Amino acid sequence: MENTTHWSEVEVALVNGKSRLISSKNLQPLKILNPGSFHDSCHVVLSSYGGGMVSGDQINLRITCGAHSRLFLSTQANTKIFKSTNQADAEQHFNAHVGENGLAVSFPDPVVPQEKSRYKQTQHWHLHPSAVLLVVDWFHSGRMDQGERFVFEAFSSELKVSVGNRLVLLDRFGFTPEEHIASSPANFDAYQTMFSAYLVGSPENSRFRQLAQAMQDLKMPGSTGLDFNMTEQDYVLSVSEAKEGVYVLRAMGKTRQDLEPLCQHLLVTLSKEEFFGYNPLERKY
């Protein structure tokens, strides 16, 4: 993966006071879209040929956000992971750099691992100490509208965030349904869509503080009481300050719709002028 000829690239920089996509290279199966906007921020949409990834597909993407730039990264639709052949994984790898006073938000649609599929993803974000990063990462149990639940073969995800030369966040998740009971209360119980959001930045940064407050406002009332019955809830959610400058939100819902209010709450904050000045996903739905 170190061979630059095998990496797609996105570069965002400040041009005449506005964040603009100044360089873009996409290699199959990835397609990079840049919806037009009158706002000062840059919106990049990731898509793929065939609407998903087949076994053996590998997407490698380098992202560079220059000083004072603002990037909102999303996907055109759910990332469907199709049936694996010969035990081959579909893979997606991001390596990203966010410069001085930059803002980067990655807010994709869920990954949907279909029956007998195998998927692996890694992300490594490198931040200037004054930058702010929000990464959303979520996946469904399968094609829920068809009653498909946890019949994929393997799913793994790794997120690393470095500030300067210091690693401040490392989160790894892996699940193989054949080796675990997905419906166990120790795993997913009745929940079918799993959502995580990671916020990294300096506590002195006003953008970081606003996003941290927006995440904390989502805490479930009464969820710490002894009489709290998790299985009766359409969704469950927790927010924690993992360390200074790092917040982690975890949520599970019985349907995607159960988590839409959570997404909209975060997008309201991101729509403020000091962030993107509008909701980049509003026209999508």
Side-chain angles (χ1 to χ4, degrees), residues 156-160 170-174 198 250:
S156 69
S157 176
E158 177 184 279
L159 171 69
K160 294 194 292 185
L170 172 60
D171 191 42
R172 291 190 177 112
F173 169 79
Y198 309 86
R250 308 276 194 196

Side-chain angles (χ1 to χ4, degrees), residues 73-112:
L73 185 70
S74 66
T75 52
Q76 191 173 31
N78 292 349
T79 300
K80 296 183 285 292
I81 311 300
F82 297 109
K83 178 180 177 180
S84 176
T85 58
N86 300 323
Q87 294 295 295
D89 293 336
E91 298 186 22
Q92 187 162 242
H93 306 283
F94 289 179
N95 196 312
H97 294 259
V98 185
E100 180 182 1
N101 201 37
L103 170 66
V105 173
S106 177
F107 211 120
D109 289 281
V111 172
V112 183

